[in-house]
Amino acid sequence: MGRLVLRGLAERKVRAALTVIAIALGVALMAGTYILTDTINSAFAEVFATSYHNKAVVVTAREHFGRGSGAEASQIDEATVARVRAVPGAAAASGSISSSAALLTESGRRLTSGRSFALVASVQPPRFESFTAARGHLPGAPGEVAIDQGTAAREHLHLGQRIVIAGRSPARLYTIAGIARFAGAESFGGASVALLQTPQAQYVAGKRGQYDSINVAATPGVAPEQLAARVRAALPATLTARTGAQQAAEQTAELEEELGGLRTFLLIFAYVALVVGAFIIFNTISITVAQRTREFGLLRTLGSSRAQIMRAVLEEGLLLGIAGSVVGLFAGIGLAPALNGLFKAFGANLPDNGTVLQTRTVIVSLAVGIVITLIAGSFPAMRATRVPPIAAMREGVAIPPRPLPSRRRMIARTVILLIAVLAISTALGSRITLGGLLVVLGLRVAWLAARVRRAGQPSRHRVITALGRALGLIVSWRGIMGRLARENSVRQPGRTLVTALALTVGLGLVAFISVLAAGTKATVDQAVSRSFAGDLIIDNSEMGQGVPAAVAAGVRAIPGVGEVTAIAFTQGRVRDPAKPGAPVIDEKSRLTAVEPQSFTRMYRVHWQQGSTATLHSLGPRGTVITKKFASAHSLTVGQRLLVLTPSGNHVTLTVRGIVSEEVIGLLSNLTITRALAQSAFGQRDDGVNFITYAPGANAGAVRARIDELLRRHFPQTRSQTAAQYTKEQSEMVNSLLLLVYVLLALSVLVSVFGIVNTLILSIYERTRELGMMRAIGASRPQIRQLIRYESVITGLIGGVLGLVIGVVGAVLVTELALSGAGYVISIPVLTLILLLVAAALVGLLAAQLPARRAARLDVLGALANE
């Protein structure tokens, strides 16, 4: 059997190669994803290890929610540094501070690229400093700054040039005194680092006299672990002490967790490509099995068992899977830098430090590719076992169809379907009604009834037949070849369906995401126009960074400004103190902090229970919650909640009201006062500011004064009207949508190989038919035209099915997950039409090689073929 399998693959080189490519593309994206994220992890791990290798112990504030919680933990002052310095075994101790900030040229141009960030850090004593001066010197005066050499090279900065640094405090000008080299990396993936003297770094961070951490050196003979224990014993519980190696490992672990989202995001597209490849494998082996009916019948006549036949087909699939997976693994090594370049093109610079190929990447990539190939090939293999020995005696013996499942299996599958619907509904945070379950059950029963009534032709085949004939009208007017292509496309509807499904998966996901994106843009536009009653919105032009709290106070002092309301965001761990043990309700709940009086005059809140007066009376211990949060945790008005804040405080809040769902998410799970967020949560920055003009003020003049204030003192922020804000949100959605389209293009490319493979196999089956057409007068161009028309119809069938599935899926998801939240369903008709045209073009592209192959058939050889 082994030699038979190898000989069969050798005789079908082209189809085997196309199948291998289909598998390889999916495996390549998977391997490339792992290699890219592992490379980023390795680069950062090296940075962290270098940063802490000369620090025996590092003291930091205890974090309850990790970095990026939107709040400040307990601060470290000079007295704490002195206390650490006095610990036995501590040779030296130095306070350190770092914060995000904006770096700009004097003309206002950003020095960071894309969505990268800038970090301002204090210069440390030589024994602790990881940067050295490549040119010039590290800052030695208050007005000096040193810039990392990656930024200096990218932005063409030079010694003596002045730059603007803006953080929580008003912006200041600094002169570049040095170009700094980091010991462990040439660059930080588009991020920038500015080194300042400690007082200046504290000014930028808005933390005068405070530090983020303390670096400690050990005296000779004192182990880092021993010194860490001593330092820990001398500090309050709000601070923690780790060895330098432990601190590096901690930050590396946090980064790996953050990169997990990126890895999952990319792996989704890898699995989509693999699923599309599975359809191709299934179709290829199925057609091969059908073509080898007489061969399998002869083997059965000579004594081969069904198990041997099945093993032969599976071995063929296994060889294809191994070859495709190995090719995909090596292709993934080259794809990883391409993925990095793709993200850079979309403004997300990711650091790298050489390619990292882990054993896990090799094992997982090979295993997934091989397993998916075997699963896809197992169904045709089982079909091959049903070939009767009589098939060797004469032509035209069909493989017996799979019998209908038993009544017990039908009932079991129906129950599984209903459970799956309930599980999906629950996962989406919604509850399907009894009516919805009855609709699903009714559709299932109707489908089973149709299948039983027409067991000889499954209902899905009738759908494909009708769809093929309808879409075939697009080419049938072109003449006899168009009409023949229309009939040929539905000659074997099962094969056409599987071929089209490869394209359906990719286009279905594109349609699904397009509808959700269109709905998101329409929802944001409607929500802002209905709820926002102000004139301007101030936010940070850098995604994910806040607005300095001083902005609101500065804007309030501008003549012509009527009112300013600041809105902030933070996090907390929510418990129910009324239950035994105070169980955690939400481990990391999002909170919105508002100034109630001014907020309600600029933003319309939709209430389930409560009113504007409810928000006005929040006070220091009140909160309002969203309807979804209340339903998920069975919370009611008057109930108390215990919240652990990022700064380590415990706050008891009483639920005063419940607000309706908001798709734009301005009001989070819990809403509290901004004063409470600043005092108990350590919140230092605002998320956004809303502004109204004073009655009778000149809007243009007032905005010009606001923009001048922001440009001079807080250049990282900008003002926008509601229309500008919604336009920017739409552009962000479009940017993400384009990235998704690029990644999904791989699955569409895989489907092209599937159509090519099927057409080549079809041409092999129809050799005599095509030879007869040539013999009775059909020209080579007409044969090519016939194959191209068939492929276009197949592509259109896949496109129509994909669009229907994508649109219906998007509507169902929004109805289940976002019903009642004000989400607007918007169908991008023009986009869907373009996708259908793209499906036809995919079919036309896929037909080029098979069409030329068909046109080159030798007429006499084709007529003699059996």
Side-chain angles (χ1 to χ4, degrees), residues 167-253:
R168 287 197 176 101
S169 302
R172 284 182 177 176
L173 273 171
Y174 294 89
T175 301
I176 299 177
I179 306 299
R181 177 191 296 115
F182 185 73
E186 292 296 321
S187 70
F188 302 93
S192 300
V193 178
L195 300 176
L196 297 173
Q197 285 192 316
T198 297
Q200 292 301 311
Q202 290 172 331
Y203 170 82
V204 172
K207 302 175 182 178
R208 294 179 184 271
Q210 296 177 322
Y211 303 96
D212 293 321
S213 63
I214 304 174
N215 302 317
V216 189
T219 56
V222 178
E225 293 79 8
Q226 184 181 8
L227 181 58
R230 293 176 184 176
V231 171
R232 200 176 298 120
L235 296 176
T238 56
L239 302 177
T240 184
R242 301 186 183 94
T243 66
Q246 290 172 340
Q247 184 70 9
E250 179 79 10
Q251 293 196 2
T252 301

Side-chain angles (χ1 to χ4, degrees), residues 445-480:
V445 171
W447 184 84
L448 287 174
R451 185 175 177 190
V452 171
R453 185 173 64 253
R454 295 290 300 276
Q457 184 186 19
S459 56
R460 60 182 180 274
H461 290 179
R462 296 200 301 277
V463 171
I464 294 301
T465 300
L467 192 58
R469 285 181 175 151
L471 294 173
L473 294 174
I474 296 176
V475 298
S476 61
W477 64 274
R478 295 281 295 171
I480 184 63

Side-chain angles (χ1 to χ4, degrees), residues 738-799:
L738 181 59
L739 175 62
V740 172
Y741 283 167
V742 172
L743 292 171
L744 281 176
L746 184 63
S747 65
V748 176
L749 179 61
V750 175
S751 65
V752 170
F753 287 103
I755 297 175
V756 171
N757 218 358
T758 302
L759 288 174
I760 289 177
L761 292 168
S762 176
I763 291 168
Y764 177 82
E765 284 183 330
R766 295 157 56 192
T767 300
R768 293 192 67 188
E769 173 190 330
L770 294 173
M772 183 66 71
M773 291 178 64
R774 292 278 288 117
I776 62 176
S779 64
R780 292 181 186 271
Q782 285 180 312
I783 297 297
R784 287 196 294 267
Q785 192 178 52
L786 172 67
I787 302 301
R788 287 168 183 160
Y789 285 160
E790 291 179 18
S791 183
V792 167
I793 294 173
T794 302
L796 287 172
I797 291 173

